[in-house]
């Protein structure tokens, strides 16, 4: 059985490394232009080179997004940009615009092309059209069911790969093609600058009474007309694989390294368990529990099983649920002393009960009894971002391991 690819977001070089260490088969990244996450740190050309080398040394792939819907002014920079990226060693570029596709084919004909979900790929005829143009992979629209995906797989060539989102934020607009942000905030969502007005709170105005705002009483907390729950398909890994998908994609180039690593780790475990024994596969609820320890909204299955209903919208708040704080990353471990050197990422102190997670196990608990600064002075608290902290731990740890703790009230 051909193994499905687990594809993770990487908003910067650090996230790329954590995604791969925690189990991604491939990552998708954005350069500093032409990607749909303008607010992410994104990658310089030097970062791309380092990230591609890091991935390839571990047998993993790197895809670059070029999936904005460009205007004329964008096109003027495209030829030079493609010339600069074509020899970096990228495994594919992801795009949505036919003009961008033409540029890539003209100036970098050897680059593999994946068609973005922004292109609204909802049927087998569209998928076949793009395959005939030279597209290697079609990223399907989020608005498809398992039955529709299976039919597309059955009516397209095996050489055409199919990819679909399985986890992360959902856009209220069709396959992400939204005009609300442009209209309300002057920020073009289709060129990477979405202000997420779908998450804002709204009131109702009657036509003949301008200036009078009437609350629509969904809850006492506010009114959120367009606010979707987050997609989560961890419970349906067998269905995803058997539908014929070649790649399972996680959303989140704007998210933290803790988010990326934790989500990838849970799906990696579920996928690997399936391939060990497809017929005897048993879903483990602890995978879902791990996903809930990461900042998230309530979860939905999106369109996979049925068209969404009012149960798939969030009417109470646009805020995230955060039950755990990500507090640090392991930089090194001295096996003789049992002391780990930690880079602080959030406030913690002596006496806190923490959890240690890594790519190869779920977590262990530890109470901080002693802690030291970079100069080996005893300290009571680690209050400064990215300060070096030394912690005696009861077990060996490795670089890239993470520390978390239950969020304080």
């Amino acid at each position: 059985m051909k193994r499905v690819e687990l594809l993770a977001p990487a908003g910067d070089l650090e996230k790329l490394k954590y995604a791969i260490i925690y189990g991604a088969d491939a990552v998708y990244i954005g350069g500093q232009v032409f990607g749909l996450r303008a607010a992410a740190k994104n990658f310089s050309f030097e970062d791309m080179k380092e990230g591609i080398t890091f991935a390839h040394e571990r047998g993993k792939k790197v895809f670059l997004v070029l999936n904005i819907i460009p205007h004329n002014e964008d096109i003027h920079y495209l030829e030079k940009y493609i010339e600069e990226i074509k020899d970096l060693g990228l495994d594919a570029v992801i795009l949505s615009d036919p003009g961008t596709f033409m540029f890539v084919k003209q100036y970098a004909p050897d680059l593999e092309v994946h068609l973005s979900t922004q292109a609204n790929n909802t049927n087998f005829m569209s998928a076949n059209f793009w395959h005939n143009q030279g597209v290697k992979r079609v990223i399907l629209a989020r608005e498809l069911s398992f039955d529709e995906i299976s039919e597309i797989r059955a009516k397209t060539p095996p050489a055409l790969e199919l990819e679909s989102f399985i986890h992360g934020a959902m856009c209220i607009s069709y396959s992400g093609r939204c005009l609300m942000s442009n209209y309300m905030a002057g920020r073009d969502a289709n060129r990477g600058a979405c202000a997420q007005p779908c998450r804002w709170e709204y009131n109702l105005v009657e036509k003949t009474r301008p200036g009078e705002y009437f609350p629509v009483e969904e809850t006492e907390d506010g009114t959120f007309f367009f606010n979707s729950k987050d997609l989560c398909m961890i419970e349906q890994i067998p269905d995803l694989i058997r539908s014929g998908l070649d790649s399972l994609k996680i959303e989140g180039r704007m998210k933290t390294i803790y988010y990326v690593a934790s989500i990838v780790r849970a799906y990696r475990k579920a996928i690997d368990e399936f391939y060990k024994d497809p017929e005897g596969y048993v879903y483990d609820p602890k995978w879902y529990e791990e996903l809930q320890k990461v900042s998230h909204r309530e979860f939905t299955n999106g369109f996979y099983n049925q068209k969404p209903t009012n149960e798939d919208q969030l009417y109470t708040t646009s805020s995230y649920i955060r039950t755990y704080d990500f507090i640090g990353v392991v930089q090194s471990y001295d096996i003789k002393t049992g002391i780990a050197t930690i880079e602080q990422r959030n406030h913690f102190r002596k006496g806190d009960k923490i959890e240690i997670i890594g790519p190869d196990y779920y977590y262990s608990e530890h109470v901080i009894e002693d802690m030291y600064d970079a100069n080996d002075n005893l300290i009571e608290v680690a209050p400064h971002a990215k300060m070096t902290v030394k912690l005696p731990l009861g077990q060996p740890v490795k670089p890239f391991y993470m520390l978390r703790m239950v969020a304080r009230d």
Side-chain angles (χ1 to χ4, degrees):
M1 183 184 296
K2 180 183 177 182
R3 291 181 68 91
V4 72
E5 173 187 271
L6 180 59
L7 176 57
D12 59 31
L13 183 58
E14 183 182 41
K15 294 172 189 175
L16 178 150
K17 292 178 179 180
Y18 274 86
I20 288 171
I21 291 295
Y22 277 75
D25 297 305
V27 295
Y28 60 102
I29 68 174
Q32 295 177 340
V33 290
F34 301 113
L36 276 176
R37 291 294 181 269
K41 287 184 180 179
N42 292 318
F43 284 70
S44 66
F45 293 120
E46 290 305 311
D47 285 344
M48 287 186 202
K49 291 176 184 177
E50 183 177 343
I52 291 166
T53 298
F54 184 90
H56 287 177
E57 286 176 347
R58 292 158 178 80
K60 312 300 182 182
K61 296 182 177 181
V62 179
F63 309 143
L64 176 68
V65 292
L66 301 173
N67 60 339
I68 67 167
I69 299 175
H71 290 231
N72 291 334
E73 64 193 74
D74 302 309
I75 293 293
H76 296 318
Y77 299 102
L78 188 57
E79 178 183 346
K80 181 175 183 292
Y81 188 66
I82 292 172
E83 284 286 345
E84 290 175 317
I85 66 165
K86 70 178 184 179
D87 296 321
L88 292 177
L90 291 161
D91 295 283
V93 292
I94 303 169
L95 52 81
S96 61
D97 173 66
T100 306
F101 178 73
M102 289 173 61
F103 262 84
V104 170
K105 282 301 180 186
Q106 181 175 353
Y107 296 105
D110 295 329
L111 263 181
E112 185 173 301
V113 175
H114 297 177
L115 194 69
S116 171
T117 190
Q118 295 289 120
N120 307 130
N121 303 281
T122 59
N123 63 78
F124 61 85
M125 288 298 291
S126 174
N128 281 320
F129 168 82
W130 284 108
H131 179 60
N132 290 338
Q133 307 311 307
V135 166
K136 172 67 174 177
R137 178 184 296 184
V138 166
I139 305 168
L140 298 172
R142 287 178 172 89
E143 295 80 16
L144 294 178
S145 67
F146 279 124
D147 288 343
E148 290 174 301
I149 293 169
S150 295
E151 185 175 3
I152 291 172
R153 178 71 287 166
K155 295 181 178 178
T156 53
L160 176 64
E161 297 177 356
L162 301 179
E163 175 183 309
S164 190
F165 281 93
I166 61 164
H167 194 94
M170 294 282 282
C171 183
I172 195 67
S173 297
Y174 204 85
S175 287
R177 299 187 68 149
C178 178
L179 298 178
M180 286 178 64
S181 179
N182 211 342
Y183 178 76
M184 301 182 73
R187 290 168 51 179
D188 193 341
N190 299 309
R191 296 166 83 186
C194 184
Q196 293 198 327
C198 56
R199 308 295 182 188
W200 299 352
E201 182 180 356
Y202 290 90
N203 287 301
L204 184 67
V205 176
E206 198 273 324
K207 181 178 180 180
T208 62
R209 305 180 198 182
E212 294 186 41
Y213 299 95
F214 302 93
V216 180
E217 297 289 348
E218 290 180 329
T219 75
E220 60 185 16
D221 298 311
T223 303
F224 302 90
F225 288 130
F226 312 112
N227 191 32
S228 174
K229 294 181 179 179
D230 284 355
L231 181 64
C232 176
M233 294 298 292
I234 193 75
E235 296 178 348
Q236 294 185 262
I237 292 298
D239 297 322
L240 289 165
I241 295 173
R242 289 174 176 140
S243 70
L245 291 169
D246 297 279
S247 180
L248 308 182
K249 187 172 191 174
I250 297 167
E251 182 272 341
R253 280 195 288 135
M254 298 286 290
K255 301 296 178 65
T256 67
I257 58 170
Y258 172 61
Y259 176 95
V260 172
S262 298
I263 303 301
V264 167
R265 189 176 67 139
Y267 278 95
R268 175 80 279 151
K269 184 63 175 176
I271 291 168
D272 289 349
E273 285 299 312
F274 173 82
Y275 283 112
K276 285 180 183 177
D277 184 6
E279 298 306 318
Y281 172 82
V282 177
Y283 166 74
D284 190 336
K286 73 180 181 183
W287 302 330
Y288 184 80
E289 292 170 8
E290 280 294 301
L291 299 180
Q292 292 181 308
K293 292 184 178 181
V294 179
S295 180
H296 66 284
R297 301 181 183 92
E298 293 179 33
F299 290 133
T300 174
N301 294 138
F303 289 76
Y304 280 102
N305 299 304
Q306 61 183 16
K307 291 189 182 300
T309 68
N310 61 324
E311 295 299 319
D312 298 284
Q313 296 297 111
L314 278 173
Y315 298 107
T316 55
T317 179
S318 60
S319 299
Y320 286 94
I321 300 167
R322 196 188 84 239
T323 57
Y324 275 73
D325 286 332
F326 163 46
I327 62 171
V329 295
V330 175
Q331 295 182 316
S332 64
Y333 179 76
D334 188 329
I335 194 168
K336 293 181 180 179
T337 63
I339 292 179
T341 300
I342 309 298
E343 183 180 81
Q344 188 260 37
R345 294 301 177 95
N346 212 327
H347 180 282
F348 63 92
R349 63 175 56 250
K350 182 178 177 179
D352 282 341
K353 183 178 181 180
I354 65 172
E355 294 180 0
I356 306 164
I357 67 171
D360 48 359
Y361 71 99
Y362 268 89
Y363 68 88
S364 62
E365 295 180 344
H366 176 79
V367 176
I368 300 175
E369 296 179 352
D370 293 301
M371 52 194 296
Y372 305 86
D373 65 15
N375 297 315
D376 297 323
N377 299 308
L378 273 169
I379 56 176
E380 297 286 321
V381 63
H384 305 303
K386 293 197 173 184
M387 70 179 288
T388 297
V389 182
K390 296 181 180 180
L391 293 179
L393 297 177
Q395 65 179 74
V397 292
K398 302 175 185 177
F400 294 100
Y401 280 29
M402 296 183 173
L403 310 182
R404 69 188 180 195
M405 59 182 288
V406 174
R408 291 184 174 89
D409 294 334

